[in-house]
Amino acid sequence: MDKEQIWQAVLGEIEIGLSRVNFITWFKDTFISSFENNKVVIGVPSEFVKKWLENKFYKIIKASLEKITGEKINEIYYQVEFRKTEPNKNISASKEIKIEKEEVVRPVEAPTINRFGLNAKYLFDNFIVGKANELAHAACRAVINNPGKVYNPLFIYGGVGLGKTHLLQAVGNELSRFTNKILYTTSENFTNNYVQAVKTGQGKDFKSLYRNVDLLLVDDVQFMGGKDGTQEEFFHTFNELHQGNKQIVMTSDRPPKSIPAIENRLISRFESGMVVDVGKPDIETKMAILEKKAVERGYLFDREILVYVANNIQNNIRELEGALNKIVAYHEFNNAAPSVKSVKEILSDLTLESRSKSISPKDIIDIVAKFYNLSSKEIVSNSRKKELVTPRQIAIYLIREELNTSYPTIGNELGGRDHTTAMHAYNKIAEEKQENERLNQELNSIKQLFYSSIY
Ligand code: ADP
Ligand code: MG
């Protein structure tokens, strides 16, 4: 048996004795990092999990390891480590949602996707309106009252985890009471389906599928950037629906003009209806969201706890939900009521300071690459192509700005460049940022991406 197989078998053993929630909370993203001379090092995703495994699960892990390997285990160490490969097969997403009925706490809600591709949990009823999203919310409401007539298309943009998909799907769920010609898709899905249809000679079916709806919802249109065939097809789909007064709603992580490598004719279509943004929620909104979601899970938090969490979770609502999941799982496990003290401890590895430490220069390069639809290899390559140079400089700028990494180290990370090159790139972006609003916006979107990706 290799390390992976041993660990899968151990997890299988451990899982039997634990509730699903506990199992997922403590064993997700764990793996055997090394196994030599009866000494095992187990990789864990956070200090928090490490502490728990050491204190609460030492015996059972040791016993299972010995049982599975038939060897005596002398030492077990835990180490915070991220494994970029496949997650534990036993704890994959599809299994995670199969939570037993008797369990009250559900860290991951079972999504019920209906025939339009919509998740039934995204409703207006459970969407909390605050300053940062009230315009977007009002625009969606207007669309519902008058589909195809008022804001067509409606284009909603904003950072990760701020409720764009929720709003988009809420429009679909609401209108599904009146029509069954609704289609929800992500732009990636649209692209894949299109490519597939062309390949298999089913282009006609594809066209008729997308062009015969009353409501077309397209999530994350920014991913159409750079995909010419898809853009062409989408342009025609768009025109046909629009001319027939069929409603189109789209989301993106940035405004139409800032989507890289997108045709001008699409930008002008996207801007021709209503463009609204969703921003980061203020403290009051975060508290209201948290309170509502906690109540749904059977918890009533003191105001002090709400204030603490809302103040410390800075970036988005998805993180807020993640924090809540942790809090609930922990107190369920311990059978204790949450206090500010316990909540502080639980969230210690989520707070901003400790998080920025866990991002590496490589993570930043990966994320910048992803943002510009490039590969990390291209970013660190020697090529002087214009479409690579700026993203490369942005990666350098962000590594310096966020991690305070030295210029020689940055140069090294960026494919062995000289430290003066790194310094020059940093200064260039820092300067340009002063005048270039679009660049500023891109930098912000990228930052949001890496803060949300760590969690
Ligand atoms: P985005 O598409 O902008 O990345 P999502 O719509 O997926 O973000 O939102 C992330 C999570 O936060 C979802 O579970 C969503 O239900 C929740 N959420 C976002 N905004 C709100 C809100 N205003 N009220 C309640 N829940 C929200
Ligand atoms: Mg989304």
Side-chain angles (χ1 to χ4, degrees), residues 161 163-166 184 219-220 251 318:
K164 301 180 301 293
T165 298
H166 190 135
Y184 166 87
D219 214 351
D220 292 319
T251 73
R318 194 170 296 146

